[in-house]
Amino acid sequence: MKAQRTDAANEVPISRYLNTRYAYCPSISSDGQRVAFITDITGVGQAWQVRCDPEVQDAGWPDQLTFQADRVMGLWCSPAPDDDRLIYTRDVGGNENAQVYLYSPGDGTHCSLTAGHEDAMQIFGEWSTDASRFLFAANRRNPGLFDLYLQPLDGAARLVWENPEPGFLTNLCFSPGGDRAAATLMSSSFRHHLFEIDLESGPARRISLSEKDTRYDTVCYDPGGRSILLNTDLDSDFLRIVRLNLDDMTVEPLVSQAVDVEFMTCSPDGRWLAYTANLDGTSELRLFDLASASTRIAPGPGETPGVVGAMDWRLAFSPDSGSLAFSFTSAVRTSDIYVWDLESDLVRPITRSAHGGVPLDSFAAPELVHYPTFDTTSDGAPRQVPAWFFQPRGRSDAPVPAILLVHGGPEGQTRPYFHPLIQYFLQRGYAVFAPNVRGSTGYGKAYSHLDDVEKRMDSVADLAYAAHWLQEQPGIDGDRLVVFGGSYGGFMVLSALCTYPDLWAAGVDIVGISSFATFLENTSDYRRAHREAEYGSLETDRDFLESISPINHVDKITAPLIVIHGANDPRVPLSEAEQLVAALAARGVSVEFIVFDDEGHGIAKLKNKLVAYPAIAGFLERVLQRE
């Protein structure tokens, strides 16, 4: 039976939802009077700046600083007094080969600091305290290896350390004296190595603390320079904060709890550690006083719990350590920049991003639920999978279709952030169910490893059990379930359609993996070893990877499918979509295919979102035969 619909004239078109704006990635200027940030007001993320003086009630309209056709990926204000310059990074067409630029507002110039290296990825690290130089990593020497560079603002980069191991080089930071640097080498999502490098002579010493898989998610020196503060899961199921003494390599726990501690940042005066606690997906922003070991919790920026740093993983102190800037979003409000004044203990917004003119009271928040899956935990109890369950408001008595939204990663977590497409589908009378199947982060290291290599299909089984749970819910049409995901979530979509074909009425695959073998063969050199650690090695696990790849089981797909991909995707190459679509078309399975020539791993530009997402909405309306 078709669901009864409200008058179409009263419905807000999808284009309005897609015109929601986002503000994120804050950085406070050296005088503490301005906050630079990224927003997509123009349709693609650019650098903007707004006043943040607490004594000024009206900060005024923010000033746009960059005007390129491609996105700004990150930005960092100069830390030096009386220096209003800004470093930012951007790529071209979504290719992720980030280039570093210097913006000087005095004369309005934008200078490329990495010109001539457009074929390499630059990972910005940190300004020096006097703003005369900066650290960055790049794969210039070898596409599969990231080396450490030191570059003066007025000169060429100097290769400091030739890193011999594959993996991303991140968390680059100067010691207080500027003569050393710390860095994290991410061999995989859960296998990190910690290094300290002498910036003058170049030697690097490995200071990793365990031979077991360990994450060093955030790294910074303490003010004395003889210790390093770490956000790590060393000897723990969850991320916590510890202090590593560089003289005797002893470890002092500072913040430990049965939740992940995220986004640690140290204040310039060395007093505070700011971090967020991941509470089943929502965030709580906290300050840890290094002297007294006391903790402060920030006032909530909204009535509805949400997520701090969902789009940028950034907490930014002011130079005087008196305030902290961060982005915040909830399921019913888009991402904006907020400043926490530590003296008054007040949190105030300094941006007001629009929601496309859609009434805020029309948005629906989800319910956190847990559903049983096929196996048990180590203590014999039935394993429960956490999920966010969105239900449309004011629906009729007729059962409604449901969209199962699968996150990417797989080391990711669906959290209650603002997703305009979810709110659009809720308006259209769909339910949306977003499970955090095994392999997701935020629930401990052990849970994240439950889908490794040969256990990959257990996570797909969790999707099937999510579908079974939905079919038992009153008001859900169990014959009209849609599986929807991007990147690794795209693999999950395709695998679910192959493995459990009778459960699904349709599938939506965005930049998804159709074959682990061809994906690993063709992904960017710097990603291959990183991904093999999660999925399995082509050398030792190829037969298994072939056996679970959807491309080898397309004969089982019966549900219609829409596939969307970016031509410049450096992570999951376009060929993954092309071979899938060709195989389905050859079998006569209904498949719609859209490629964007100026996008990479996902859809970043508004003009393309206004094509892709209405196409998805129209596809679902047709295949589910809704009026």
Side-chain angles (χ1 to χ4, degrees), residues 133-198:
R133 53 187 185 156
F134 65 96
L135 289 168
F136 72 98
N139 58 344
R140 297 176 179 181
R141 179 177 59 90
N142 183 317
L145 301 173
F146 282 89
D147 299 322
L148 179 65
Y149 291 83
L150 180 64
Q151 181 165 346
L153 269 291
D154 57 357
R158 176 168 64 88
L159 176 58
V160 174
W161 176 44
E162 290 191 3
N163 163 39
E165 302 178 49
F168 295 97
L169 202 59
T170 64
N171 293 328
L172 313 175
C173 58
F174 285 103
S175 65
D179 58 333
R180 292 168 288 138
T184 298
L185 177 65
M186 295 178 59
S187 298
S188 73
S189 296
F190 283 87
R191 186 180 304 150
H192 298 179
H193 304 287
L194 192 61
F195 289 88
E196 188 178 42
I197 302 98
D198 187 306

Side-chain angles (χ1 to χ4, degrees), residues 204-234:
R205 64 165 178 152
R206 188 190 293 257
I207 53 176
S208 300
L209 300 169
S210 174
E211 295 302 317
K212 298 178 181 179
D213 285 0
T214 301
R215 288 176 288 175
Y216 302 101
D217 265 18
T218 317
V219 177
C220 63
Y221 284 89
D222 73 356
R226 297 313 312 160
S227 297
I228 289 181
L229 302 169
L230 303 172
N231 183 202
T232 179
D233 59 5
L234 175 71

Side-chain angles (χ1 to χ4, degrees), residues 247-259:
D247 293 325
D248 59 15
M249 301 302 291
T250 55
V251 174
E252 176 192 0
L254 297 178
V255 179
S256 299
Q257 46 203 194
V259 299

Side-chain angles (χ1 to χ4, degrees), residues 15 60 94 103 129 174 222 225 252 399 476 499 502 513 598:
S15 59
Y103 168 62
T129 54
F174 285 103
D222 73 356
E252 176 192 0
I476 299 296
T499 312
D502 296 338
I513 300 167
D598 58 347

Side-chain angles (χ1 to χ4, degrees), residues 205-536:
R205 64 165 178 152
R206 188 190 293 257
I207 53 176
S208 300
L209 300 169
S210 174
E211 295 302 317
K212 298 178 181 179
D213 285 0
T214 301
R215 288 176 288 175
Y216 302 101
D217 265 18
T218 317
V219 177
C220 63
Y221 284 89
D222 73 356
R226 297 313 312 160
S227 297
I228 289 181
L229 302 169
L230 303 172
N231 183 202
T232 179
D233 59 5
L234 175 71
D235 299 327
S236 171
D237 196 35
F238 291 93
L239 289 166
R240 58 188 184 134
I241 300 176
V242 303
R243 179 190 280 118
L244 169 64
N245 187 304
L246 293 172
D247 293 325
D248 59 15
M249 301 302 291
T250 55
V251 174
E252 176 192 0
L254 297 178
V255 179
S256 299
Q257 46 203 194
V259 299
D260 273 344
V261 172
E262 303 171 320
F263 316 148
M264 180 196 76
T265 302
C266 188
S267 62
D269 64 4
R271 177 182 177 184
W272 302 106
L273 285 178
Y275 67 93
T276 64
N278 184 335
L279 307 177
D280 282 326
T282 63
S283 293
E284 190 170 80
L285 177 58
R286 300 174 180 175
L287 282 180
F288 178 78
D289 190 320
L290 283 164
S292 67
S294 60
T295 300
R296 293 174 60 180
I297 299 175
E303 295 181 359
T304 304
V307 186
V308 172
M311 301 182 67
D312 53 40
W313 307 287
R314 178 77 66 89
L315 302 174
F317 276 101
S318 60
D320 66 358
S321 303
S323 58
L324 182 71
F326 59 95
S327 66
F328 175 83
T329 176
S330 73
V332 296
R333 184 172 288 276
T334 190
S335 179
D336 269 309
I337 307 297
Y338 295 79
V339 173
W340 180 13
D341 184 279
L342 303 186
E343 182 177 355
S344 66
D345 203 34
L346 294 177
V347 170
R348 61 191 178 94
I350 60 169
T351 65
R352 297 279 188 180
S353 298
H355 294 79
V358 182
L360 295 181
D361 60 7
S362 70
F363 299 143
E367 174 189 4
L368 178 62
V369 301
H370 295 79
Y371 66 90
T373 186
F374 65 91
D375 62 345
T376 60
T377 60
S378 58
D379 60 1
R383 189 180 305 281
Q384 300 287 318
V385 177
W388 296 99
F389 190 22
F390 295 80
Q391 299 189 66
R393 289 180 171 177
R395 68 190 190 192
S396 66
D397 294 333
V400 301
I403 297 171
L404 273 82
L405 189 64
V406 194
H407 68 69
E411 307 90 347
Q413 182 185 24
T414 297
R415 305 178 71 167
Y417 58 87
F418 188 78
H419 195 316
L421 204 58
I422 288 178
Q423 297 299 333
Y424 170 76
F425 281 126
L426 293 175
Q427 177 206 225
R428 294 291 294 167
Y430 295 82
V432 177
F433 192 74
N436 282 307
V437 299
R438 70 190 67 211
S440 301
T441 52
Y443 308 99
K445 187 161 48 177
Y447 188 79
S448 296
H449 284 313
L450 288 177
D451 68 340
D452 288 356
V453 193
E454 72 279 357
K455 297 177 283 188
R456 180 68 45 208
M457 297 305 290
D458 289 350
S459 62
V460 184
D462 286 346
L463 277 186
Y465 276 78
H468 296 323
W469 186 87
L470 279 171
Q471 289 171 334
E472 297 173 355
Q473 303 310 303
I476 299 296
D477 186 343
D479 293 327
R480 291 190 295 167
L481 301 182
V482 177
V483 59
F484 184 133
S487 188
Y488 172 78
F491 157 76
M492 293 286 282
V493 167
L494 300 175
S495 188
L497 293 176
C498 293
T499 312
Y500 306 96
D502 296 338
L503 289 177
W504 313 107
V508 180
D509 165 28
I510 302 176
V511 299
I513 300 167
S514 63
S515 166
F516 280 117
T518 56
F519 158 69
L520 290 171
E521 288 171 345
N522 299 319
T523 192
S524 297
D525 290 347
Y526 58 83
R527 294 188 60 83
R528 187 170 298 110
H530 189 269
R531 292 291 79 194
E532 283 189 328
E534 168 71 27
Y535 298 134

Side-chain angles (χ1 to χ4, degrees), residues 59-203:
W61 183 255
D63 295 321
Q64 187 173 354
L65 306 180
T66 61
F67 300 85
Q68 292 89 359
D70 288 296
R71 62 182 175 177
V72 169
M73 304 173 72
L75 54 77
W76 300 264
C77 290
S78 165
D82 303 318
D83 186 354
D84 56 3
R85 293 177 300 174
L86 179 84
I87 280 179
Y88 65 92
T89 56
R90 67 178 177 91
D91 66 354
V92 176
N95 66 6
E96 299 188 9
N97 284 338
Q99 304 298 303
V100 182
Y101 296 83
L102 178 67
Y103 168 62
S104 302
D107 54 14
T109 58
H110 296 259
C111 173
S112 174
L113 300 175
T114 51
H117 299 281
E118 286 76 14
D119 292 335
M121 175 188 288
Q122 275 68 215
I123 302 174
F124 182 80
E126 188 175 64
W127 290 84
S128 62
T129 54
D130 63 358
S132 65
R133 53 187 185 156
F134 65 96
L135 289 168
F136 72 98
N139 58 344
R140 297 176 179 181
R141 179 177 59 90
N142 183 317
L145 301 173
F146 282 89
D147 299 322
L148 179 65
Y149 291 83
L150 180 64
Q151 181 165 346
L153 269 291
D154 57 357
R158 176 168 64 88
L159 176 58
V160 174
W161 176 44
E162 290 191 3
N163 163 39
E165 302 178 49
F168 295 97
L169 202 59
T170 64
N171 293 328
L172 313 175
C173 58
F174 285 103
S175 65
D179 58 333
R180 292 168 288 138
T184 298
L185 177 65
M186 295 178 59
S187 298
S188 73
S189 296
F190 283 87
R191 186 180 304 150
H192 298 179
H193 304 287
L194 192 61
F195 289 88
E196 188 178 42
I197 302 98
D198 187 306
L199 295 177
E200 297 304 320
S201 57

